[in-house]
Amino acid sequence: MKKTVHLIAAARPNFMKVAPLWHALTAAPDFKPVLIHTGQHYDPNMSDAIFADLRLPQPDFHLGVGSGSHAEQTGNVMIAYEKIAVEHRPDWLVVVGDVNSTAACAMVAAKLHIPCVHLEAGLRSGDRAMPEEINRLVTDAIADVFWTPSADGDAHLLREGTDPARITMVGNIMLDSFELVRPAIAEANVPQSLGLESGRYGVVTLHRPSNVDGDASLAALVDALVDVQRDLQLVFPVHPRTAKRLVETGLGARLEAAGVKLIEPAPYVRFMSLVVDAAVAITDSGGIQEETTYLGIPCLTLRENTERPVTISQGTNQLVRTDTLKSALIEALAKPAENRPRPENWDGQTAARCVLDLRARSA
Ligand code: UD1
């Protein structure tokens, strides 16, 4: 009898973490993955197009939860997933990352005594003002098995009293997704189709509430980007949360007038095609800090902290503020590329290690 594994996919950054594991479990003789989309992200470019890029099938279950306040979204995911978990009782639940659906489904499993694995466990920004930090703390307090991407994850969990036997450092699974579709990324030629010159542009993503929700912080960011655009062409795939705010404040017009290329959120292959040829990434995303470290591309992260410190200590990332963005950019572009070894187990083989670990724990 194959062991059934519920895999929860909810929001854009989850899909790159779930896809390699779904493929590896599907190929394994002893597991049957069941793909569950909570519907937290639903725009085609934020969801279906990424599923197609990563060769994921239609989900086995779609909970259709959609947007809402934190309590509404978390509660609605719990109510919807509980019905499926009770009816189909999996052998394992795997939740990934740090979005509201991650903590919601982990809570459902804990109360039903369904063993739960957290993939990307142990990350901490130390900043409880971030909703993701609360989701990480909640999930890691109640999961049964912890798959960490880097040694700092293990250290945080041990400090919080987690049994070391429950922790396995599997590495960074997002990079498995990159390797899975590397040829398609190489062929996509998105920079050319947008009139961008290879190696001579910066790719921007911003969506953190702390950056885009307040009028003053968003205006300061827009000013900083306009200043950068004087020296370096910027392309900015705009997240729906940010798009809404740029319209409400009228600040989008300022970016456009300065020459920043504002485009729709790009699905995975198109987006990575922009990243691989970029001179620099300017972002507040978690995953992009990791992908740029893997690819050796400088990354300027507009945040006060990061839950991914290896991207600074062993990678190409640095934290910047709006008022230091321009000087950091000039410095980063002047620096010759370093050939640094990648963090341990960031090698495109993480999903295989997850399957081996799950098998050992199922015996
Ligand atoms: C969520 C995650 C965040 C992750 C991000 C990636 C939480 C707490 N936050 O933030 O960790 O980095 O996803 O994108 O789980 N919207 C659309 N279409 C969509 C999805 C959202 O228009 O497909 C709009 C809605 O107006 C919604 C808003 O974007 O209210 C925010 O979406 P939400 O899922 O609440 O949070 P994100 O900012 O995307």
PDB file of all heavy atoms in Angstrom, residues 11-13 39-44 46-47 66-70 73 98-101 131-132 135 207-209 239-242 244 284-286, ligand 1:
ATOM      1  N   ALA A  11       0.089  29.782  -2.193  1.00  0.00           N
ATOM      2  CA  ALA A  11       0.442  31.084  -2.744  1.00  0.00           C
ATOM      3  C   ALA A  11       1.691  30.928  -3.615  1.00  0.00           C
ATOM      4  O   ALA A  11       2.410  29.931  -3.497  1.00  0.00           O
ATOM      5  CB  ALA A  11       0.708  32.063  -1.606  1.00  0.00           C
ATOM      6  N   ARG A  12       1.928  31.930  -4.420  1.00  0.00           N
ATOM      7  CA  ARG A  12       2.974  31.832  -5.449  1.00  0.00           C
ATOM      8  C   ARG A  12       4.265  31.161  -4.989  1.00  0.00           C
ATOM      9  O   ARG A  12       4.714  30.215  -5.643  1.00  0.00           O
ATOM     10  CB  ARG A  12       3.231  33.236  -6.008  1.00  0.00           C
ATOM     11  CG  ARG A  12       4.232  33.279  -7.115  1.00  0.00           C
ATOM     12  CD  ARG A  12       4.262  34.626  -7.788  1.00  0.00           C
ATOM     13  NE  ARG A  12       4.636  35.703  -6.888  1.00  0.00           N
ATOM     14  CZ  ARG A  12       4.772  36.976  -7.250  1.00  0.00           C
ATOM     15  NH1 ARG A  12       4.537  37.323  -8.499  1.00  0.00           N
ATOM     16  NH2 ARG A  12       5.113  37.894  -6.384  1.00  0.00           N
ATOM     17  N   PRO A  13       4.893  31.630  -3.890  1.00  0.00           N
ATOM     18  CA  PRO A  13       6.195  31.025  -3.572  1.00  0.00           C
ATOM     19  C   PRO A  13       6.105  29.573  -3.120  1.00  0.00           C
ATOM     20  O   PRO A  13       7.115  28.872  -3.080  1.00  0.00           O
ATOM     21  CB  PRO A  13       6.736  31.916  -2.445  1.00  0.00           C
ATOM     22  CG  PRO A  13       5.544  32.585  -1.857  1.00  0.00           C
ATOM     23  CD  PRO A  13       4.529  32.703  -2.944  1.00  0.00           C
ATOM     24  N   GLY A  39      -6.080  28.007  -2.722  1.00  0.00           N
ATOM     25  CA  GLY A  39      -6.695  29.136  -3.436  1.00  0.00           C
ATOM     26  C   GLY A  39      -6.327  30.487  -2.873  1.00  0.00           C
ATOM     27  O   GLY A  39      -6.924  31.497  -3.238  1.00  0.00           O
ATOM     28  N   GLN A  40      -5.308  30.529  -1.985  1.00  0.00           N
ATOM     29  CA  GLN A  40      -4.890  31.842  -1.436  1.00  0.00           C
ATOM     30  C   GLN A  40      -4.480  32.781  -2.573  1.00  0.00           C
ATOM     31  O   GLN A  40      -4.822  33.948  -2.580  1.00  0.00           O
ATOM     32  CB  GLN A  40      -3.749  31.647  -0.427  1.00  0.00           C
ATOM     33  CG  GLN A  40      -3.283  32.961   0.181  1.00  0.00           C
ATOM     34  CD  GLN A  40      -2.329  32.783   1.361  1.00  0.00           C
ATOM     35  OE1 GLN A  40      -2.229  31.719   1.955  1.00  0.00           O
ATOM     36  NE2 GLN A  40      -1.628  33.848   1.711  1.00  0.00           N
ATOM     37  N   HIS A  41      -3.722  32.278  -3.535  1.00  0.00           N
ATOM     38  CA  HIS A  41      -3.463  33.028  -4.777  1.00  0.00           C
ATOM     39  C   HIS A  41      -4.274  32.395  -5.898  1.00  0.00           C
ATOM     40  O   HIS A  41      -4.370  31.179  -6.004  1.00  0.00           O
ATOM     41  CB  HIS A  41      -1.976  33.031  -5.111  1.00  0.00           C
ATOM     42  CG  HIS A  41      -1.193  34.008  -4.274  1.00  0.00           C
ATOM     43  ND1 HIS A  41       0.168  34.129  -4.331  1.00  0.00           N
ATOM     44  CD2 HIS A  41      -1.614  34.922  -3.347  1.00  0.00           C
ATOM     45  CE1 HIS A  41       0.567  35.083  -3.496  1.00  0.00           C
ATOM     46  NE2 HIS A  41      -0.496  35.564  -2.868  1.00  0.00           N
ATOM     47  N   TYR A  42      -4.856  33.249  -6.735  1.00  0.00           N
ATOM     48  CA  TYR A  42      -5.814  32.750  -7.737  1.00  0.00           C
ATOM     49  C   TYR A  42      -5.667  33.431  -9.095  1.00  0.00           C
ATOM     50  O   TYR A  42      -6.153  32.930 -10.089  1.00  0.00           O
ATOM     51  CB  TYR A  42      -7.253  32.968  -7.216  1.00  0.00           C
ATOM     52  CG  TYR A  42      -7.411  34.329  -6.561  1.00  0.00           C
ATOM     53  CD1 TYR A  42      -7.667  35.456  -7.316  1.00  0.00           C
ATOM     54  CD2 TYR A  42      -7.231  34.474  -5.190  1.00  0.00           C
ATOM     55  CE1 TYR A  42      -7.752  36.709  -6.719  1.00  0.00           C
ATOM     56  CE2 TYR A  42      -7.317  35.721  -4.583  1.00  0.00           C
ATOM     57  CZ  TYR A  42      -7.581  36.841  -5.360  1.00  0.00           C
ATOM     58  OH  TYR A  42      -7.651  38.062  -4.778  1.00  0.00           O
ATOM     59  N   ASP A  43      -5.006  34.595  -9.182  1.00  0.00           N
ATOM     60  CA  ASP A  43      -4.808  35.204 -10.508  1.00  0.00           C
ATOM     61  C   ASP A  43      -4.019  34.222 -11.374  1.00  0.00           C
ATOM     62  O   ASP A  43      -3.100  33.574 -10.869  1.00  0.00           O
ATOM     63  CB  ASP A  43      -3.997  36.504 -10.397  1.00  0.00           C
ATOM     64  CG  ASP A  43      -4.849  37.673  -9.909  1.00  0.00           C
ATOM     65  OD1 ASP A  43      -6.067  37.482  -9.742  1.00  0.00           O
ATOM     66  OD2 ASP A  43      -4.283  38.759  -9.694  1.00  0.00           O
ATOM     67  N   PRO A  44      -4.343  34.134 -12.679  1.00  0.00           N
ATOM     68  CA  PRO A  44      -3.642  33.148 -13.515  1.00  0.00           C
ATOM     69  C   PRO A  44      -2.116  33.255 -13.417  1.00  0.00           C
ATOM     70  O   PRO A  44      -1.435  32.242 -13.256  1.00  0.00           O
ATOM     71  CB  PRO A  44      -4.135  33.466 -14.929  1.00  0.00           C
ATOM     72  CG  PRO A  44      -5.479  34.111 -14.720  1.00  0.00           C
ATOM     73  CD  PRO A  44      -5.412  34.824 -13.401  1.00  0.00           C
ATOM     74  N   MET A  46      -0.359  34.286 -11.022  1.00  0.00           N
ATOM     75  CA  MET A  46       0.116  34.001  -9.662  1.00  0.00           C
ATOM     76  C   MET A  46      -0.098  32.532  -9.319  1.00  0.00           C
ATOM     77  O   MET A  46       0.292  32.090  -8.247  1.00  0.00           O
ATOM     78  CB  MET A  46      -0.666  34.838  -8.645  1.00  0.00           C
ATOM     79  CG  MET A  46      -0.607  36.332  -8.850  1.00  0.00           C
ATOM     80  SD  MET A  46       0.929  37.034  -8.279  1.00  0.00           S
ATOM     81  CE  MET A  46       0.686  36.970  -6.512  1.00  0.00           C
ATOM     82  N   SER A  47      -0.792  31.796 -10.203  1.00  0.00           N
ATOM     83  CA  SER A  47      -1.159  30.431  -9.832  1.00  0.00           C
ATOM     84  C   SER A  47      -1.107  29.462 -11.020  1.00  0.00           C
ATOM     85  O   SER A  47      -0.117  28.768 -11.208  1.00  0.00           O
ATOM     86  CB  SER A  47      -2.546  30.451  -9.186  1.00  0.00           C
ATOM     87  OG  SER A  47      -2.959  29.162  -8.887  1.00  0.00           O
ATOM     88  N   GLY A  66      -9.329  32.028  -1.454  1.00  0.00           N
ATOM     89  CA  GLY A  66      -9.188  33.418  -1.911  1.00  0.00           C
ATOM     90  C   GLY A  66      -8.636  34.362  -0.859  1.00  0.00           C
ATOM     91  O   GLY A  66      -8.053  33.936   0.135  1.00  0.00           O
ATOM     92  N   SER A  67      -8.831  35.669  -1.092  1.00  0.00           N
ATOM     93  CA  SER A  67      -8.244  36.702  -0.225  1.00  0.00           C
ATOM     94  C   SER A  67      -9.143  36.995   0.968  1.00  0.00           C
ATOM     95  O   SER A  67     -10.291  36.556   1.022  1.00  0.00           O
ATOM     96  CB  SER A  67      -8.037  37.980  -1.025  1.00  0.00           C
ATOM     97  OG  SER A  67      -7.216  37.736  -2.137  1.00  0.00           O
ATOM     98  N   GLY A  68      -8.603  37.784   1.910  1.00  0.00           N
ATOM     99  CA  GLY A  68      -9.368  38.181   3.088  1.00  0.00           C
ATOM    100  C   GLY A  68      -8.417  38.673   4.152  1.00  0.00           C
ATOM    101  O   GLY A  68      -7.209  38.718   3.920  1.00  0.00           O
ATOM    102  N   SER A  69      -8.953  39.020   5.303  1.00  0.00           N
ATOM    103  CA  SER A  69      -8.077  39.404   6.420  1.00  0.00           C
ATOM    104  C   SER A  69      -7.303  38.156   6.846  1.00  0.00           C
ATOM    105  O   SER A  69      -7.629  37.038   6.436  1.00  0.00           O
ATOM    106  CB  SER A  69      -8.917  39.912   7.582  1.00  0.00           C
ATOM    107  OG  SER A  69      -9.604  38.819   8.171  1.00  0.00           O
ATOM    108  N   HIS A  70      -6.305  38.343   7.697  1.00  0.00           N
ATOM    109  CA  HIS A  70      -5.515  37.185   8.135  1.00  0.00           C
ATOM    110  C   HIS A  70      -6.406  36.141   8.803  1.00  0.00           C
ATOM    111  O   HIS A  70      -6.298  34.946   8.526  1.00  0.00           O
ATOM    112  CB  HIS A  70      -4.400  37.631   9.085  1.00  0.00           C
ATOM    113  CG  HIS A  70      -3.277  38.280   8.346  1.00  0.00           C
ATOM    114  ND1 HIS A  70      -2.302  37.559   7.690  1.00  0.00           N
ATOM    115  CD2 HIS A  70      -3.004  39.570   8.112  1.00  0.00           C
ATOM    116  CE1 HIS A  70      -1.467  38.393   7.106  1.00  0.00           C
ATOM    117  NE2 HIS A  70      -1.869  39.625   7.336  1.00  0.00           N
ATOM    118  N   GLN A  73      -8.719  34.432   6.183  1.00  0.00           N
ATOM    119  CA  GLN A  73      -8.008  33.522   5.289  1.00  0.00           C
ATOM    120  C   GLN A  73      -7.572  32.254   6.045  1.00  0.00           C
ATOM    121  O   GLN A  73      -7.803  31.127   5.598  1.00  0.00           O
ATOM    122  CB  GLN A  73      -6.786  34.253   4.721  1.00  0.00           C
ATOM    123  CG  GLN A  73      -6.271  33.670   3.435  1.00  0.00           C
ATOM    124  CD  GLN A  73      -5.233  34.584   2.806  1.00  0.00           C
ATOM    125  OE1 GLN A  73      -4.289  35.000   3.469  1.00  0.00           O
ATOM    126  NE2 GLN A  73      -5.399  34.883   1.538  1.00  0.00           N
ATOM    127  N   ASP A  98       5.848  29.770   4.608  1.00  0.00           N
ATOM    128  CA  ASP A  98       5.422  30.551   5.770  1.00  0.00           C
ATOM    129  C   ASP A  98       4.155  31.366   5.516  1.00  0.00           C
ATOM    130  O   ASP A  98       3.938  32.399   6.145  1.00  0.00           O
ATOM    131  CB  ASP A  98       6.561  31.492   6.180  1.00  0.00           C
ATOM    132  CG  ASP A  98       7.046  32.353   5.020  1.00  0.00           C
ATOM    133  OD1 ASP A  98       6.292  32.514   4.043  1.00  0.00           O
ATOM    134  OD2 ASP A  98       8.176  32.870   5.093  1.00  0.00           O
ATOM    135  N   VAL A  99       3.324  30.930   4.591  1.00  0.00           N
ATOM    136  CA  VAL A  99       2.122  31.728   4.306  1.00  0.00           C
ATOM    137  C   VAL A  99       0.980  31.309   5.249  1.00  0.00           C
ATOM    138  O   VAL A  99       1.098  30.342   6.004  1.00  0.00           O
ATOM    139  CB  VAL A  99       1.706  31.629   2.809  1.00  0.00           C
ATOM    140  CG1 VAL A  99       2.846  32.101   1.913  1.00  0.00           C
ATOM    141  CG2 VAL A  99       1.269  30.241   2.438  1.00  0.00           C
ATOM    142  N   ASN A 100      -0.124  32.047   5.205  1.00  0.00           N
ATOM    143  CA  ASN A 100      -1.217  31.758   6.137  1.00  0.00           C
ATOM    144  C   ASN A 100      -1.708  30.313   6.010  1.00  0.00           C
ATOM    145  O   ASN A 100      -2.033  29.673   7.013  1.00  0.00           O
ATOM    146  CB  ASN A 100      -2.376  32.729   5.879  1.00  0.00           C
ATOM    147  CG  ASN A 100      -2.072  34.130   6.382  1.00  0.00           C
ATOM    148  OD1 ASN A 100      -1.179  34.323   7.218  1.00  0.00           O
ATOM    149  ND2 ASN A 100      -2.795  35.119   5.877  1.00  0.00           N
ATOM    150  N   SER A 101      -1.762  29.798   4.789  1.00  0.00           N
ATOM    151  CA  SER A 101      -2.254  28.426   4.583  1.00  0.00           C
ATOM    152  C   SER A 101      -1.326  27.389   5.216  1.00  0.00           C
ATOM    153  O   SER A 101      -1.772  26.294   5.588  1.00  0.00           O
ATOM    154  CB  SER A 101      -2.378  28.133   3.086  1.00  0.00           C
ATOM    155  OG  SER A 101      -3.208  29.083   2.461  1.00  0.00           O
ATOM    156  N   PRO A 131       3.770  38.973   9.246  1.00  0.00           N
ATOM    157  CA  PRO A 131       2.834  37.850   9.408  1.00  0.00           C
ATOM    158  C   PRO A 131       3.516  36.513   9.155  1.00  0.00           C
ATOM    159  O   PRO A 131       3.191  35.506   9.797  1.00  0.00           O
ATOM    160  CB  PRO A 131       1.747  38.123   8.352  1.00  0.00           C
ATOM    161  CG  PRO A 131       2.286  39.187   7.443  1.00  0.00           C
ATOM    162  CD  PRO A 131       3.330  39.928   8.218  1.00  0.00           C
ATOM    163  N   GLU A 132       4.506  36.497   8.262  1.00  0.00           N
ATOM    164  CA  GLU A 132       5.188  35.231   7.944  1.00  0.00           C
ATOM    165  C   GLU A 132       5.939  34.682   9.152  1.00  0.00           C
ATOM    166  O   GLU A 132       6.055  33.466   9.316  1.00  0.00           O
ATOM    167  CB  GLU A 132       6.177  35.412   6.783  1.00  0.00           C
ATOM    168  CG  GLU A 132       5.536  35.743   5.446  1.00  0.00           C
ATOM    169  CD  GLU A 132       5.156  37.199   5.289  1.00  0.00           C
ATOM    170  OE1 GLU A 132       5.473  38.018   6.193  1.00  0.00           O
ATOM    171  OE2 GLU A 132       4.521  37.546   4.278  1.00  0.00           O
ATOM    172  N   ASN A 135       3.563  32.848  11.260  1.00  0.00           N
ATOM    173  CA  ASN A 135       3.250  31.561  10.627  1.00  0.00           C
ATOM    174  C   ASN A 135       4.385  30.551  10.831  1.00  0.00           C
ATOM    175  O   ASN A 135       4.132  29.365  11.057  1.00  0.00           O
ATOM    176  CB  ASN A 135       2.972  31.756   9.138  1.00  0.00           C
ATOM    177  CG  ASN A 135       1.683  32.529   8.892  1.00  0.00           C
ATOM    178  OD1 ASN A 135       0.780  32.511   9.726  1.00  0.00           O
ATOM    179  ND2 ASN A 135       1.594  33.209   7.754  1.00  0.00           N
ATOM    180  N   HIS A 207       6.409  43.578  -2.491  1.00  0.00           N
ATOM    181  CA  HIS A 207       5.018  43.316  -2.099  1.00  0.00           C
ATOM    182  C   HIS A 207       4.806  43.241  -0.595  1.00  0.00           C
ATOM    183  O   HIS A 207       3.681  43.056  -0.137  1.00  0.00           O
ATOM    184  CB  HIS A 207       4.511  42.009  -2.740  1.00  0.00           C
ATOM    185  CG  HIS A 207       5.110  40.794  -2.111  1.00  0.00           C
ATOM    186  ND1 HIS A 207       6.329  40.311  -2.471  1.00  0.00           N
ATOM    187  CD2 HIS A 207       4.661  39.979  -1.122  1.00  0.00           C
ATOM    188  CE1 HIS A 207       6.621  39.247  -1.742  1.00  0.00           C
ATOM    189  NE2 HIS A 207       5.626  39.022  -0.911  1.00  0.00           N
ATOM    190  N   ARG A 208       5.882  43.367   0.211  1.00  0.00           N
ATOM    191  CA  ARG A 208       5.702  43.260   1.670  1.00  0.00           C
ATOM    192  C   ARG A 208       4.797  44.376   2.175  1.00  0.00           C
ATOM    193  O   ARG A 208       5.011  45.547   1.826  1.00  0.00           O
ATOM    194  CB  ARG A 208       7.035  43.394   2.392  1.00  0.00           C
ATOM    195  CG  ARG A 208       7.996  42.304   2.152  1.00  0.00           C
ATOM    196  CD  ARG A 208       7.763  41.089   3.020  1.00  0.00           C
ATOM    197  NE  ARG A 208       8.419  39.969   2.358  1.00  0.00           N
ATOM    198  CZ  ARG A 208       7.960  38.740   2.342  1.00  0.00           C
ATOM    199  NH1 ARG A 208       6.864  38.425   2.981  1.00  0.00           N
ATOM    200  NH2 ARG A 208       8.595  37.798   1.708  1.00  0.00           N
ATOM    201  N   PRO A 209       3.837  44.042   3.040  1.00  0.00           N
ATOM    202  CA  PRO A 209       2.986  45.082   3.618  1.00  0.00           C
ATOM    203  C   PRO A 209       3.808  46.238   4.205  1.00  0.00           C
ATOM    204  O   PRO A 209       3.458  47.402   4.033  1.00  0.00           O
ATOM    205  CB  PRO A 209       2.219  44.339   4.722  1.00  0.00           C
ATOM    206  CG  PRO A 209       2.211  42.900   4.290  1.00  0.00           C
ATOM    207  CD  PRO A 209       3.455  42.687   3.483  1.00  0.00           C
ATOM    208  N   HIS A 239       3.266  42.832  -8.264  1.00  0.00           N
ATOM    209  CA  HIS A 239       2.370  41.966  -7.476  1.00  0.00           C
ATOM    210  C   HIS A 239       1.002  42.656  -7.336  1.00  0.00           C
ATOM    211  O   HIS A 239       0.945  43.891  -7.203  1.00  0.00           O
ATOM    212  CB  HIS A 239       3.021  41.776  -6.107  1.00  0.00           C
ATOM    213  CG  HIS A 239       2.310  40.820  -5.184  1.00  0.00           C
ATOM    214  ND1 HIS A 239       1.134  41.138  -4.554  1.00  0.00           N
ATOM    215  CD2 HIS A 239       2.618  39.569  -4.777  1.00  0.00           C
ATOM    216  CE1 HIS A 239       0.746  40.117  -3.805  1.00  0.00           C
ATOM    217  NE2 HIS A 239       1.649  39.149  -3.919  1.00  0.00           N
ATOM    218  N   PRO A 240      -0.111  41.910  -7.321  1.00  0.00           N
ATOM    219  CA  PRO A 240      -1.441  42.543  -7.233  1.00  0.00           C
ATOM    220  C   PRO A 240      -1.604  43.482  -6.036  1.00  0.00           C
ATOM    221  O   PRO A 240      -2.237  44.538  -6.148  1.00  0.00           O
ATOM    222  CB  PRO A 240      -2.405  41.360  -7.121  1.00  0.00           C
ATOM    223  CG  PRO A 240      -1.655  40.148  -7.486  1.00  0.00           C
ATOM    224  CD  PRO A 240      -0.191  40.454  -7.468  1.00  0.00           C
ATOM    225  N   ARG A 241      -1.040  43.088  -4.900  1.00  0.00           N
ATOM    226  CA  ARG A 241      -1.135  43.955  -3.706  1.00  0.00           C
ATOM    227  C   ARG A 241      -0.493  45.316  -3.999  1.00  0.00           C
ATOM    228  O   ARG A 241      -1.054  46.369  -3.684  1.00  0.00           O
ATOM    229  CB  ARG A 241      -0.388  43.282  -2.541  1.00  0.00           C
ATOM    230  CG  ARG A 241      -0.273  44.137  -1.295  1.00  0.00           C
ATOM    231  CD  ARG A 241       0.712  43.503  -0.309  1.00  0.00           C
ATOM    232  NE  ARG A 241       0.138  42.454   0.509  1.00  0.00           N
ATOM    233  CZ  ARG A 241      -0.593  42.666   1.626  1.00  0.00           C
ATOM    234  NH1 ARG A 241      -0.850  43.885   2.024  1.00  0.00           N
ATOM    235  NH2 ARG A 241      -1.062  41.657   2.316  1.00  0.00           N
ATOM    236  N   THR A 242       0.682  45.293  -4.654  1.00  0.00           N
ATOM    237  CA  THR A 242       1.424  46.518  -4.959  1.00  0.00           C
ATOM    238  C   THR A 242       0.730  47.301  -6.075  1.00  0.00           C
ATOM    239  O   THR A 242       0.660  48.535  -6.031  1.00  0.00           O
ATOM    240  CB  THR A 242       2.868  46.145  -5.362  1.00  0.00           C
ATOM    241  OG1 THR A 242       3.376  45.215  -4.403  1.00  0.00           O
ATOM    242  CG2 THR A 242       3.768  47.362  -5.427  1.00  0.00           C
ATOM    243  N   LYS A 244      -2.380  47.476  -6.757  1.00  0.00           N
ATOM    244  CA  LYS A 244      -3.526  48.192  -6.183  1.00  0.00           C
ATOM    245  C   LYS A 244      -3.059  49.489  -5.509  1.00  0.00           C
ATOM    246  O   LYS A 244      -3.635  50.556  -5.681  1.00  0.00           O
ATOM    247  CB  LYS A 244      -4.184  47.258  -5.154  1.00  0.00           C
ATOM    248  CG  LYS A 244      -5.609  47.573  -4.814  1.00  0.00           C
ATOM    249  CD  LYS A 244      -6.240  46.363  -4.118  1.00  0.00           C
ATOM    250  CE  LYS A 244      -6.852  46.777  -2.806  1.00  0.00           C
ATOM    251  NZ  LYS A 244      -7.002  45.708  -1.837  1.00  0.00           N
ATOM    252  N   ASP A 284      11.901  42.583  -2.017  1.00  0.00           N
ATOM    253  CA  ASP A 284      11.639  42.287  -0.609  1.00  0.00           C
ATOM    254  C   ASP A 284      11.109  40.857  -0.465  1.00  0.00           C
ATOM    255  O   ASP A 284      10.576  40.488   0.570  1.00  0.00           O
ATOM    256  CB  ASP A 284      10.681  43.325   0.015  1.00  0.00           C
ATOM    257  CG  ASP A 284       9.332  43.390  -0.692  1.00  0.00           C
ATOM    258  OD1 ASP A 284       9.044  42.541  -1.549  1.00  0.00           O
ATOM    259  OD2 ASP A 284       8.557  44.314  -0.382  1.00  0.00           O
ATOM    260  N   SER A 285      11.275  40.087  -1.525  1.00  0.00           N
ATOM    261  CA  SER A 285      10.811  38.692  -1.505  1.00  0.00           C
ATOM    262  C   SER A 285      11.795  37.805  -0.748  1.00  0.00           C
ATOM    263  O   SER A 285      12.976  38.129  -0.642  1.00  0.00           O
ATOM    264  CB  SER A 285      10.682  38.203  -2.951  1.00  0.00           C
ATOM    265  OG  SER A 285      11.077  36.862  -3.063  1.00  0.00           O
ATOM    266  N   GLY A 286      11.332  36.665  -0.244  1.00  0.00           N
ATOM    267  CA  GLY A 286      12.228  35.703   0.380  1.00  0.00           C
ATOM    268  C   GLY A 286      12.963  34.875  -0.649  1.00  0.00           C
ATOM    269  O   GLY A 286      14.186  34.793  -0.666  1.00  0.00           O
TER     270      GLY A 286
HETATM  271  C1  UD1 B   1       1.310  36.216   0.492  1.00  0.00           C
HETATM  272  C2  UD1 B   1       2.086  35.704   1.700  1.00  0.00           C
HETATM  273  C3  UD1 B   1       3.524  36.161   1.610  1.00  0.00           C
HETATM  274  C4  UD1 B   1       4.149  35.797   0.287  1.00  0.00           C
HETATM  275  C5  UD1 B   1       3.281  36.348  -0.826  1.00  0.00           C
HETATM  276  C6  UD1 B   1       3.814  36.037  -2.184  1.00  0.00           C
HETATM  277  C7  UD1 B   1       0.839  35.471   3.820  1.00  0.00           C
HETATM  278  C8  UD1 B   1       0.622  36.089   5.148  1.00  0.00           C
HETATM  279  N1  UD1 B   1       1.545  36.226   2.950  1.00  0.00           N
HETATM  280  O1  UD1 B   1       1.298  37.635   0.566  1.00  0.00           O
HETATM  281  O2  UD1 B   1       4.262  35.543   2.640  1.00  0.00           O
HETATM  282  O3  UD1 B   1       5.445  36.332   0.207  1.00  0.00           O
HETATM  283  O4  UD1 B   1       1.977  35.789  -0.681  1.00  0.00           O
HETATM  284  O5  UD1 B   1       3.051  36.651  -3.179  1.00  0.00           O
HETATM  285  O6  UD1 B   1       0.410  34.362   3.601  1.00  0.00           O
HETATM  286  N2  UD1 B   1      -4.380  39.208  -4.796  1.00  0.00           N
HETATM  287  C9  UD1 B   1      -4.795  39.152  -6.092  1.00  0.00           C
HETATM  288  N3  UD1 B   1      -4.637  37.990  -6.775  1.00  0.00           N
HETATM  289  C10 UD1 B   1      -4.070  36.890  -6.232  1.00  0.00           C
HETATM  290  C11 UD1 B   1      -3.643  36.958  -4.904  1.00  0.00           C
HETATM  291  C12 UD1 B   1      -3.792  38.113  -4.197  1.00  0.00           C
HETATM  292  O7  UD1 B   1      -5.301  40.121  -6.632  1.00  0.00           O
HETATM  293  O8  UD1 B   1      -3.954  35.864  -6.920  1.00  0.00           O
HETATM  294  C13 UD1 B   1      -4.500  40.491  -4.051  1.00  0.00           C
HETATM  295  C14 UD1 B   1      -5.722  40.612  -3.182  1.00  0.00           C
HETATM  296  O9  UD1 B   1      -6.133  41.932  -3.216  1.00  0.00           O
HETATM  297  C15 UD1 B   1      -5.189  40.294  -1.808  1.00  0.00           C
HETATM  298  C16 UD1 B   1      -3.776  40.829  -1.885  1.00  0.00           C
HETATM  299  O10 UD1 B   1      -3.364  40.630  -3.225  1.00  0.00           O
HETATM  300  O11 UD1 B   1      -5.940  40.852  -0.784  1.00  0.00           O
HETATM  301  C17 UD1 B   1      -2.804  40.168  -0.965  1.00  0.00           C
HETATM  302  O12 UD1 B   1      -2.842  38.739  -1.119  1.00  0.00           O
HETATM  303  P1  UD1 B   1      -2.524  37.783   0.137  1.00  0.00           P
HETATM  304  O13 UD1 B   1      -2.539  36.371  -0.299  1.00  0.00           O
HETATM  305  O14 UD1 B   1      -3.353  38.174   1.299  1.00  0.00           O
HETATM  306  O15 UD1 B   1      -1.050  38.201   0.554  1.00  0.00           O
HETATM  307  P2  UD1 B   1       0.254  38.472  -0.311  1.00  0.00           P
HETATM  308  O16 UD1 B   1       0.627  39.903  -0.161  1.00  0.00           O
HETATM  309  O17 UD1 B   1       0.176  37.916  -1.685  1.00  0.00           O
END
